Amino acid sequence: MDQLMVIDGNSLMFRAFYALPPLTSPDGQPTQAIHGFFNMLLKLVQERKPRYVAVAFDLPGGTFRHEEYTEYKAGRRKTPPELHSQIPLMQDLLAQMGICVMGEQGFEADDILGTLAAWAEERAMPALLVTGDKDALQLVSGSTTVILTKKGISETADYTPERLGVVVAGCF
């Protein structure tokens, strides 16, 4: 059965960066986010065997949310330069692996997860959304499972309507 896996790249990248000790390449390039991200990605793909995989990233600059509420994410720390330098390398490696890298100016990665979940549902294709953002639980449906990262880079939990105690059939 065809299955789509969409990964919140920013969420997994940050988790990997902070979960692992500093790692560097021989030339001094920080690599712990890359190392942890790809360990988790490869494990998920091996276990779930999706036919399609995409990784969504936030792009630099604001989103429509910033236009509506100027204080949106105002308290959030800036991305450390050691992490920021790993993003283009990670995206290049994903592209080399044939994994679709997505981002849209004015939108966040989780907006792309929601859009692709709806796209998959229209095609009666199960979708797996991988993120650490609990806001994504609102996307759980009969065909969309949210795989929430829990601890470090190895523990996850699947959220389905049954796990959330949601009755989907007969609601509308």
Side-chain angles (χ1 to χ4, degrees), residues 79-161:
T79 303
E82 302 83 16
L83 174 55
H84 200 269
S85 70
Q86 296 178 65
I87 298 170
L89 298 171
M90 192 177 308
Q91 292 173 336
D92 186 49
L93 286 169
L94 287 164
Q96 288 182 42
M97 292 171 69
I99 295 175
C100 181
V101 176
M102 305 180 85
E104 183 66 35
Q105 195 60 52
F107 295 90
E108 295 180 348
D110 55 350
D111 297 318
I112 295 170
L113 267 67
T115 300
L116 290 178
W119 178 87
E121 190 163 344
E122 288 171 1
R123 287 155 181 78
M125 181 187 309
L128 302 170
L129 308 180
V130 183
T131 184
D133 186 349
K134 291 180 182 175
D135 287 346
L137 294 178
Q138 65 188 313
L139 300 171
V140 170
S141 73
S143 63
T144 299
T145 298
V146 171
I147 302 171
L148 206 59
T149 56
K150 291 179 62 172
K151 184 178 177 186
I153 59 167
S154 59
E155 289 186 36
T156 61
D158 287 17
Y159 286 85
T160 61

Side-chain angles (χ1 to χ4, degrees), residues 19-137:
L20 296 175
L23 301 172
T24 58
S25 68
D27 67 356
Q29 167 65 47
T31 59
Q32 76 261 28
I34 294 169
H35 178 75
F37 179 93
F38 280 98
N39 277 345
M40 182 170 262
L41 170 75
L42 295 173
K43 178 182 176 204
L44 286 165
V45 168
Q46 183 179 32
E47 289 174 355
R48 309 301 176 115
K49 301 183 182 355
R51 178 159 185 191
Y52 307 102
V53 180
V55 180
F57 286 94
D58 297 343
L59 296 182
T63 68
F64 69 92
R65 291 175 184 86
H66 292 96
E67 292 173 15
E68 292 181 21
Y69 180 58
T70 56
E71 296 301 310
Y72 182 69
K73 292 191 178 181
R76 196 169 273 190
R77 316 182 254 186
K78 295 262 186 218
T79 303
E82 302 83 16
L83 174 55
H84 200 269
S85 70
Q86 296 178 65
I87 298 170
L89 298 171
M90 192 177 308
Q91 292 173 336
D92 186 49
L93 286 169
L94 287 164
Q96 288 182 42
M97 292 171 69
I99 295 175
C100 181
V101 176
M102 305 180 85
E104 183 66 35
Q105 195 60 52
F107 295 90
E108 295 180 348
D110 55 350
D111 297 318
I112 295 170
L113 267 67
T115 300
L116 290 178
W119 178 87
E121 190 163 344
E122 288 171 1
R123 287 155 181 78
M125 181 187 309
L128 302 170
L129 308 180
V130 183
T131 184
D133 186 349
K134 291 180 182 175
D135 287 346
L137 294 178

